Amino acid sequence: MKKNSCFGTLYKYELLKILRNKVTIVTFLIFFVFSFIQGEFEVRGNIDLETLAEYQTINYRPVDDKLLSEWSAVTDEYGVVTDEKDIAYDSMEEWIKDIVGYHAVLEDITEDLIYEKRLETIDEAYTESYLTQEEIDYWKASEEEVDKPFVWHDLYVAFGLENGICNTMFMMLFVVGLGLASVFSVESQRKTDPMIRSSINGEKELYFAKILAGMSFCLFSVAVFLGGFITYVGVAYGFTGLDIPVQIEYPFTQLNMTCGQAIVVLIILTVCGSVFISAIAMFVSEVLRNSLASMGVLLGGYFVIFALGTNIPMKMKTLSKWISLFPAIQITPRFVYEFRLFKFAGHFFNSYKVAPVAYIALSFFMIFGGYFIYRKYEIKSN
Amino acid sequence: MELKADRLTKQYDNKIAVDRISLSLEKGVTGLLGANGAGKTTLMRMLSGLLTPTSGEISYDDMSVKSEDYRNVLGYLPQDFGYYPEFTGREFLMYFCALKGLDKKSAKARCAELFEIVGLEEAADKKIRKYSGGMKQRVGIAQAIINRPEVLILDEPTAGLDPKERVRFRDLIGELGKESVVLLSTHIVSDIEHVADRLIMMKDGQICWQGVWKESDGSLEEFYLKQYE
């Protein structure tokens, strides 16, 4: 007799189990609203619309001696704009100070000084990151590709988008923790597992229906949160300044990419990172068979790795490099400052390229490893 | 139709829950009696393929109890089972229909039939959290017989039912025993007396008595109590 797997029906009911969890839904709705709200405060912050419009008057100008001398002329010795009518130049203050130093004399800033100081700081970063000569050569070759002089643009939309996307990763951590940490444990806790496991479709079909339902919930949530936030920013402020080199945001990176490309990288990292934490949540749920413990392991583990990853000495290069791939550390706009590289088959890869592949590969590993554990599980307690 | 167990043993650390039990169950209702901790649930779980014996073998008509083929003909009602409070009775049964491999059309028809059998037609679309204990027990019985099982293992199925419902389900189990191998565990001796064709009594993980109980043998309750003195 041909077996009827009923996968679609099982998937529907597994999805219903997740979506009818009130705590999950309330959390989802709060973050859904928040994703729009953060579109406002992450981009604009405390700056009024008139100032934002003023900033745009110097957009797309090359960062050369002409622009720098104009900036020097309207700012005091601390780099602060002295007259409100010149507020457009105010947006350059942080960027310049970041390169030349906060205690530098700001009156005679030149194009040469900016580009020279930038390279000096990058050299220090090579040393701090314990790069090999091969890695340094890689970055020097990459630097050649970066167009100079840089083209100036106000950074509010780009920074806002990046910060909002990274907040989404934290939102996903909570939504996934609440929604998916119970996907498998619910059957043990509600004592439905003996009935399930004595049914013909209670093994492979149900396991993969649960995984697919969990992943659908994860992808739907991340799409809604990112979609809501990005749409709001696009409608309210427009996607301006995404075509300029990322060095205007992060001057010491040698990646040859635009701000828009950096944002796309962050979106990919966030989506793949969400899939990864969903796979972890469901795996832990299956192993521990307790929703609260699974949630604790997921959230606790995330923050422990975050603390560990940010404090681990760079000297322990291999360990710190691999730990830095975890979503807690990797998914930040500062991924552009990661100089350490991964070498596979004679080629160097940046961490932002390795991380999403690692997330998906590890997710598959946990899903199929979890299936092995699921099949071996026996209902022992009475 | 023959469910066979040969020298079945289950040991948990230092405790032997089931000790070298051999039995053969055929079409009809077999009653399983025993005090708490006698090993009934462990035995039933091994017969359902949910628990691997420490030693010994189980088979049903040459099928392994770990096989999909066996699960296709099995119905199991655990002693202490749960439900999804956010599901309605109908959703719960539809979900179990999918687990038992029934397509949507057959599942709808079977659900309607089962709600009638267990007397829950009116409550089918109410959330299970609003059900009484007896109603939940009836939904559990319904899920066990969704696939018209050839082997039906029932662990305390009438617990929590009112006397009228108990009689109704006793009769239903008797009917099912005409076509299936039914193993019925209960503390209610009168239920066993009414429906069981054969009887197995367990004590300390072993079978202390098995056979056919006849009215001429006297009171089953008294005999049962004597085994535990």
Side-chain angles (χ1 to χ4, degrees):
Chain A
M1 194 180 76
K2 194 174 170 275
K3 184 182 154 187
N4 189 354
S5 78
C6 303
F7 189 81
T9 312
L10 290 175
Y11 168 72
K12 178 185 126 184
Y13 283 108
E14 288 306 326
L15 205 52
L16 273 183
K17 283 187 204 172
I18 297 169
L19 297 177
R20 287 191 183 163
N21 180 332
K22 278 182 191 159
V23 181
T24 307
I25 293 309
V26 169
T27 312
F28 176 88
L29 290 174
I30 289 170
F31 285 145
F32 176 64
V33 173
F34 179 77
S35 64
F36 287 94
I37 296 170
Q38 72 161 351
E40 185 61 29
F41 69 72
E42 283 295 354
V43 172
R44 204 169 116 187
N46 292 323
I47 297 163
D48 56 67
L49 289 172
E50 289 76 27
T51 307
L52 277 180
E54 278 296 312
Y55 286 159
Q56 288 169 19
T57 58
I58 57 166
N59 281 350
Y60 292 109
R61 287 189 55 187
V63 181
D64 53 14
D65 284 337
K66 188 168 183 291
L67 182 63
L68 290 168
S69 62
E70 285 174 28
W71 178 79
S72 289
V74 298
T75 55
D76 61 18
E77 68 269 35
Y78 305 108
V80 177
V81 172
T82 49
D83 194 332
E84 277 294 303
K85 72 177 171 47
D86 301 314
I87 199 73
Y89 296 92
D90 184 49
S91 61
M92 291 174 69
E93 179 193 341
E94 283 295 311
W95 188 79
I96 291 171
K97 282 183 177 173
D98 207 10
I99 296 172
V100 298
Y102 283 75
H103 301 292
V105 179
L106 297 172
E107 283 157 355
D108 37 313
I109 298 290
T110 63
E111 183 184 340
D112 288 343
L113 182 72
I114 288 276
Y115 293 103
E116 192 184 305
K117 282 277 183 189
R118 176 179 165 268
L119 287 180
E120 274 175 27
T121 308
I122 289 171
D123 274 340
E124 283 168 23
Y126 290 163
T127 313
E128 282 167 13
S129 306
Y130 293 90
L131 297 194
T132 62
Q133 190 54 47
E134 265 189 307
E135 286 172 314
I136 293 171
D137 292 343
Y138 171 92
W139 285 113
K140 289 201 164 152
S142 179
E143 175 72 18
E144 299 288 311
E145 308 278 312
V146 177
D147 285 337
K148 283 177 246 45
F150 302 140
V151 175
W152 181 256
H153 200 289
D154 70 83
L155 304 167
Y156 291 90
V157 169
F159 271 142
L161 281 170
E162 287 165 6
N163 290 334
I165 292 165
C166 293
N167 292 343
T168 304
M169 192 62 223
F170 280 98
M171 285 149 62
M172 284 304 295
L173 180 68
F174 285 95
V175 168
V176 163
L178 290 167
L180 304 187
S182 58
V183 163
F184 286 96
S185 54
V186 69
E187 311 300 354
S188 304
Q189 291 183 302
R190 286 189 181 159
K191 296 180 179 176
T192 42
D193 47 359
M195 297 182 292
I196 287 173
R197 300 307 289 266
S198 58
S199 304
I200 187 167
N201 290 331
E203 270 191 11
K204 188 170 81 184
E205 292 75 10
L206 186 71
Y207 178 83
F208 286 104
K210 278 179 180 290
I211 293 286
L212 188 64
M215 286 300 173
S216 304
F217 173 72
C218 155
L219 291 172
F220 174 74
S221 303
V222 76
V224 166
F225 297 155
L226 284 176
F229 166 66
I230 293 170
T231 305
Y232 183 89
V233 174
V235 170
Y237 298 100
F239 296 120
T240 61
L242 301 190
D243 52 344
I244 56 155
V246 74
Q247 281 75 15
I248 289 298
E249 280 188 280
Y250 303 100
F252 308 116
T253 179
Q254 292 183 300
L255 289 171
N256 179 27
M257 61 167 59
T258 62
C259 293
Q261 285 167 332
I263 286 163
V264 170
V265 168
L266 273 177
I267 291 172
I268 293 169
L269 283 170
T270 303
V271 173
C272 295
S274 300
V275 168
F276 180 50
I277 58 165
S278 299
I280 295 175
M282 290 190 276
F283 182 79
V284 175
S285 164
E286 198 197 321
V287 173
L288 298 182
R289 302 208 160 255
N290 182 303
S291 311
L292 268 180
S294 309
M295 216 184 301
V297 166
L298 184 74
L299 296 177
Y302 196 90
F303 290 110
V304 164
I305 289 174
F306 179 71
L308 186 71
T310 47
N311 292 315
I312 195 162
M314 291 270 222
K315 207 173 182 178
M316 301 165 79
K317 193 176 169 188
T318 309
L319 181 66
S320 67
K321 192 165 76 171
W322 281 98
I323 285 184
S324 76
L325 286 182
F326 275 88
I329 307 154
Q330 183 66 216
I331 305 173
T332 137
R334 298 180 78 81
F335 79 88
V336 295
Y337 281 160
E338 181 56 85
F339 285 98
R340 294 169 298 180
L341 300 167
F342 293 83
K343 195 173 187 180
F344 299 110
H347 296 279
F348 280 117
F349 295 91
N350 301 95
S351 63
Y352 75 85
K353 287 177 183 162
V354 176
V357 177
Y359 296 159
I360 300 301
L362 284 171
S363 299
F364 272 104
F365 178 78
M366 277 186 284
I367 289 167
F368 288 101
Y371 178 53
F372 182 75
I373 296 168
Y374 184 79
R375 285 190 63 185
K376 294 276 169 201
Y377 173 70
E378 290 200 338
I379 299 148
K380 291 191 176 92
S381 59
N382 195 352
Chain B
M1 282 184 182
E2 188 184 18
L3 181 61
K4 274 172 75 174
D6 184 27
R7 283 164 295 163
L8 213 52
T9 300
K10 185 71 193 179
Q11 185 168 357
Y12 296 111
D13 300 324
N14 294 326
K15 185 181 162 38
I16 297 175
V18 169
D19 191 7
R20 287 164 293 161
I21 282 184
S22 294
L23 51 81
S24 168
L25 305 178
E26 291 178 356
K27 199 187 275 185
V29 180
T30 303
L32 182 62
L33 283 170
N36 288 337
K40 301 188 300 294
T41 297
T42 303
L43 173 66
M44 291 180 128
R45 284 192 175 169
M46 285 193 285
L47 294 175
S48 305
L50 296 170
L51 200 56
T52 308
T54 309
S55 63
E57 282 171 18
I58 319 166
S59 63
Y60 172 70
D61 288 352
D62 296 327
M63 282 179 217
S64 158
V65 290
K66 291 278 181 190
S67 68
E68 277 195 346
D69 288 342
Y70 180 66
R71 280 187 274 133
N72 198 27
V73 297
L74 173 71
Y76 176 53
L77 178 70
Q79 181 184 0
D80 181 17
F81 66 93
Y83 54 94
Y84 310 108
E86 68 277 14
F87 276 20
T88 64
R90 192 181 306 281
E91 285 170 336
F92 184 82
L93 277 197
M94 285 296 282
Y95 175 65
F96 273 93
C97 282
L99 280 167
K100 303 278 183 187
L102 268 69
D103 62 56
K104 265 186 200 163
K105 198 178 157 196
S106 319
K108 274 185 186 170
R110 184 66 178 147
C111 278
E113 196 182 343
L114 285 168
F115 278 119
E116 200 185 325
I117 291 171
V118 298
L120 284 175
E121 303 104 306
E122 301 290 313
D125 294 310
K126 279 188 185 160
K127 299 269 189 219
I128 301 183
R129 68 166 159 264
K130 291 182 180 163
Y131 281 17
S132 66
M135 288 162 93
K136 286 172 194 162
Q137 190 71 13
R138 283 188 265 166
V139 174
I141 293 167
Q143 75 72 33
I145 57 174
I146 281 174
N147 55 337
R148 296 184 172 87
E150 286 179 24
V151 178
L152 181 59
I153 296 175
L154 304 167
D155 200 352
E156 303 278 357
T158 51
L161 298 180
D162 61 42
K164 200 175 147 196
E165 286 297 332
R166 228 182 67 219
V167 170
R168 182 178 171 173
F169 280 103
R170 210 164 62 185
D171 295 344
L172 173 67
I173 292 163
E175 281 300 309
L176 293 165
K178 288 178 185 164
E179 296 299 322
S180 318
V181 176
V182 180
L183 180 63
L184 168 68
S185 161
T186 177
H187 280 105
I188 305 161
V189 179
S190 63
D191 281 355
I192 297 272
E193 268 182 316
H194 277 92
V195 295
D197 305 302
R198 289 180 72 248
L199 192 61
I200 295 172
M201 284 190 200
M202 282 186 77
K203 187 182 178 185
D204 299 332
Q206 291 184 320
I207 293 178
C208 58
W209 190 89
Q210 65 176 319
V212 179
W213 188 263
K214 294 189 286 288
E215 265 183 49
S216 55
D217 293 333
S219 157
L220 174 61
E221 189 140 19
E222 277 176 23
F223 179 74
Y224 172 56
L225 290 171
K226 248 184 210 169
Q227 299 301 312
Y228 298 99
E229 279 173 2

